[in-house]
Amino acid sequence: MSELTEKAGKLDAVDELAAKRAEFVLDGPEGAVYLDGNSLGALPVGVPGRVADVVARQWGELRIRSWTEEGWWTAPERIGDRIAPLVGAAAGQVVVGDSTSVNVFKALVGAVRLARETGAGRDEILVDATTFPTDGYIAGSAARMTGCTLRPVTPSDVPDALGEHTAAVLLNHVDYRTGRLHDLPSLTAAVHAAGAYAVWDLCHSAGALPVGLDAHGVDLAVGCTYKYLNGGPGSPAYLYVRADLQDRFDSPLPGWNSHAEPFGMRSDYEPAEGAVRGRVGTPDILSMLALEAALEVWDGVTVEAVRAKSLALTDFFLECVGEYVPEGRVECLTPLPHAERGSQVALRCSPTLGSARAGGAPTAGPVMRRLIERGVVGDFRHPDVLRFGFTPLYVGFADVERAARALAEELSEATAERSHRV
Ligand SMILES: Cc1ncc(COP(=O)(O)O)c(C=O)c1O
């Protein structure tokens, strides 16, 4: 047994979240190490039974009665309240529904409208230049619709880019590619000091680390539920609108579900009060109730405990990679300081890295394909990034050691093959 396998065993033995693993289905190739929960979270064991009940009994037998008797109608707010503590929000501010992309649109246009109430000259939207593409596309459209210009800015440069023309700023809490954690408290404060509104995308932080929306005075936020919240493929996203802004939140998608009197069937629109104002049309009940069941795994878990384990997992992965992978074969894109690290490790792996004499390191795509074949599932992001996501509720330290060892073996084998060929 190597020193690191021994260390993994010791860390697993004192892991206070270890028992949570049994609440997930982690079958598949024997002993698979699943490090892709930052893309699609694993299936919680309670979900299939709940979905079966929703389909067979609630829909099949009760049919339309379920809208009231089974709480379908109020599910978006109810499930929003279940997510709220995970993102540091008091109840009544989060509503579930639609996709992240759609909620980015609602939040960003809503933020510009809020800014315009007091400052007509506010005609610029700043967007994270390193953002996940959908946020950038939607911000571009939101800018055209609101007569703003769109300026892509690296998050750390946002304070210098802010000014009296800034209406809203759209930022990612954790960068999807590098795993860099941005400084939400100080960036939000800077946005506010400039008189603008901050919209945060929490896709890669909610369920992995403390967010503190209320504590840091965030204006609006959005996030998906299919990554660290394990809601399932395409599960609905959520929208947070801070309580004191809700009265003024003017949604660009005012559907009948956000009407003050949805069954009044009125031709004039009167927005509902509270988080409900973020709703649009009929909610996707099957996905939404699957998500509600999935959120039960959070019972008895604190986000602080999740964060502590997440950092221990990524630290240990980096230690194992440092020990096993030959020097220079990969470059870590994820910041080493804990304050700047999300719950993933991104390793750049390209032919330009590694010694030319040894044939250079193999490219990221084929390396990840081979890792997946041998049961270590991470993902590949164009053009040369290997992403490994660490979901503290079901990833253990032995998984981490095994993944790093497999990576090292793949890199050495592939490099040896290449040098043989040249
Ligand atoms: C930061 C970020 N925003 C948005 C999305 C996707 O949005 P949607 O849920 O609309 O597909 C992702 C998906 O991975 C993401 O990482």
Side-chain angles (χ1 to χ4, degrees), residues 58-59 61-69 72:
Q58 300 186 13
W59 178 17
E61 294 171 23
L62 299 179
R63 290 180 285 274
I64 204 155
R65 285 166 51 189
S66 289
W67 280 107
T68 46
E69 291 177 22
W72 288 1

Side-chain angles (χ1 to χ4, degrees), residues 33 39 70 84 121 123 172 240-241 246 257 361:
V33 177
S39 197
E70 295 295 331
D123 57 7
N172 290 277
Y240 163 91
V241 182
Q246 287 173 346
N257 272 227

Side-chain angles (χ1 to χ4, degrees), residues 38-39 98-104 131-135 172 174-176 201-204 222-227 235 237 381 387:
N38 54 333
S39 197
D98 311 310
S99 63
T100 316
S101 305
V102 172
N103 282 303
V104 166
T131 190
F132 184 83
T134 205
D135 298 44
N172 290 277
V174 172
D175 185 290
Y176 79 100
D201 181 332
L202 310 178
C203 280
H204 286 271
V222 303
C224 72
T225 61
Y226 45 74
K227 300 182 191 291
S235 56
R381 282 294 173 267
R387 282 195 328 174

Side-chain angles (χ1 to χ4, degrees), residues 15 21 48 56 116 121 135 144 269 277 281 297 332 343 359 365 379:
D15 171 13
R21 188 185 179 102
R116 290 271 172 80
D135 298 44
R144 285 199 306 282
Y269 180 74
R277 200 175 277 213
V297 299
C332 183
S343 200
D379 65 21

Side-chain angles (χ1 to χ4, degrees), residues 2 19 53 116 167 172 174 214 254 263 291 313 316 340 351:
S2 81
D53 176 65
R116 290 271 172 80
N172 290 277
V174 172
D214 287 353
F263 294 96
L291 167 65
L313 288 168
F316 187 53
E340 295 170 29

Side-chain angles (χ1 to χ4, degrees), residues 132-356:
F132 184 83
T134 205
D135 298 44
Y137 308 152
I138 298 222
S141 177
R144 285 199 306 282
M145 276 183 51
T146 54
C148 286
T149 50
L150 180 70
R151 179 144 65 118
V153 183
T154 303
S156 55
D157 294 338
V158 161
D160 291 336
L162 290 161
E164 58 186 17
H165 292 294
T166 317
V169 184
L170 173 61
L171 291 163
N172 290 277
H173 196 192
V174 172
D175 185 290
Y176 79 100
R177 208 171 139 269
T178 62
R180 176 180 289 276
L181 168 63
H182 296 300
D183 188 345
L184 179 145
S186 81
L187 288 169
T188 303
V191 171
H192 289 167
Y197 287 80
V199 179
W200 285 92
D201 181 332
L202 310 178
C203 280
H204 286 271
S205 59
L209 51 95
V211 178
L213 290 179
D214 287 353
H216 304 303
V218 167
D219 303 299
L220 299 115
V222 303
C224 72
T225 61
Y226 45 74
K227 300 182 191 291
Y228 297 100
L229 299 180
N230 312 301
S235 56
Y238 57 90
L239 169 70
Y240 163 91
V241 182
R242 205 179 66 220
D244 62 301
L245 296 176
Q246 287 173 346
D247 279 357
R248 293 161 48 217
F249 175 63
D250 181 6
S251 172
L253 292 173
W256 74 288
N257 272 227
S258 63
H259 199 284
E261 212 191 320
F263 294 96
M265 302 296 160
R266 286 160 41 188
S267 57
D268 62 315
Y269 180 74
E270 184 193 336
E273 286 183 3
V276 177
R277 200 175 277 213
R279 286 177 64 161
V280 184
T282 306
D284 179 347
I285 291 299
L286 298 185
S287 285
M288 198 164 290
L289 298 188
L291 167 65
E292 186 170 36
L295 290 169
E296 286 177 13
V297 299
W298 290 92
D299 289 349
V301 176
T302 65
V303 183
E304 286 68 29
V306 164
R307 175 62 168 163
K309 182 171 172 191
S310 158
L311 288 172
L313 288 168
T314 50
D315 275 344
F316 187 53
F317 183 66
L318 290 168
E319 182 184 349
C320 294
V321 168
E323 191 65 35
Y324 295 151
V325 175
E327 178 95 25
R329 292 298 153 80
V330 290
E331 178 195 347
C332 183
L333 300 181
T334 306
L336 298 183
H338 285 178
E340 295 170 29
R341 195 192 303 164
S343 200
Q344 75 178 52
V345 171
L347 300 176
R348 196 162 80 85
C349 164
S350 76
T352 53
L353 285 171
S355 103

